[in-house]
């Protein structure tokens, strides 16, 4: 908290300043709100071993870190990576993509409440020694804006195919949950269906 206010105040102000200044939760809030925590945990949970390309894909849709970083289910990195793949499929428009991300968040939260993903996937392990050595190594910059850092060494994500299968299975219920809740995507689908029916009968 103090680091954000003292050492990185310029960044936090540049990124989050608004009409009423920087909201307090950008300094002291939970992982999905705190200006620095969301970057750290997003990079840590959505990276694919040493590769950060999946992190970039996750943060292109701001609803994804906003809706998932505070949920325990993304502490399971294989499932988190499978979620990124699913959530970034529907990107024809930002509105549709945001609705899809939020629909997935609801159904994944329900599905993993009683049956954590680790029950099927096991607990992934990291190379702690390699991680500490990576953290102690000074960056070699300067970097260009489009350069991605190389992350810490890490074993292959455990059971990526199984994680993808779990993600697809849970996601198949997203339209049902969205319809039951009357969510934005369900309302949009209803309007689209109605418009198509009117066109087909020549209204």
């Amino acid at each position: 908290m103090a680091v954000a206010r003292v050492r990185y105040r310029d960044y936090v102000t540049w990124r989050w300043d608004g009409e009423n200044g920087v909201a307090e939760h950008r300094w002291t809030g939970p992982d999905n709100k705190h200006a620095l925590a969301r970057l750290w945990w997003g990079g840590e949970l959505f990276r694919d071993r040493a590769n950060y390309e999946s992190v970039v894909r996750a943060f292109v849709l701001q609803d994804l870190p906003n809706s998932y970083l505070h949920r325990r289910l993304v502490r399971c990195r294989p499932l988190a990576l499978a979620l990124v793949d699913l959530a970034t499929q529907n990107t024809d428009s930002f509105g549709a993509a945001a609705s899809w991300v939020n629909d997935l968040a609801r159904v994944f939260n329900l599905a993993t409440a009683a049956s954590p993903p680790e029950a099927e996937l096991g607990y992934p392990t990291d190379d702690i020694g390699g991680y500490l050595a990576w953290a102690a190594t000074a960056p070699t910059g300067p970097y260009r804006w489009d350069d991605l850092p190389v992350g810490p060494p890490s074993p292959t994500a455990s059971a990526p195919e199984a994680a993808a299968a779990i993600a697809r299975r849970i996601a198949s219920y997203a339209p049902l949950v969205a319809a039951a809740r009357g969510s934005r995507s369900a309302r949009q689908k209803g309007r689209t269906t109605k418009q198509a029916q009117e066109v087909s009968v020549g209204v």
Side-chain angles (χ1 to χ4, degrees), residues 15-31:
R15 175 64 179 86
W16 296 107
D17 197 16
E19 293 182 0
N20 299 315
V22 179
E24 181 61 26
H25 61 241
R26 298 301 177 190
W27 306 106
T28 61
D31 294 343

Side-chain angles (χ1 to χ4, degrees), residues 66 114 119 123 135 151 154 160 192:
N66 291 346
Y123 288 90
S154 180
T192 302

Side-chain angles (χ1 to χ4, degrees), residues 108-119:
F108 270 83
N109 198 45
L110 289 171
T112 58
S115 178
E118 291 85 359

Side-chain angles (χ1 to χ4, degrees), residues 185-199:
S185 63
R187 295 194 301 272
Q188 179 60 43
K189 183 177 180 180
R191 287 193 294 268
T192 302
T193 301
K194 182 178 179 181
Q195 291 169 357
Q197 290 171 342
E198 290 174 349
V199 169

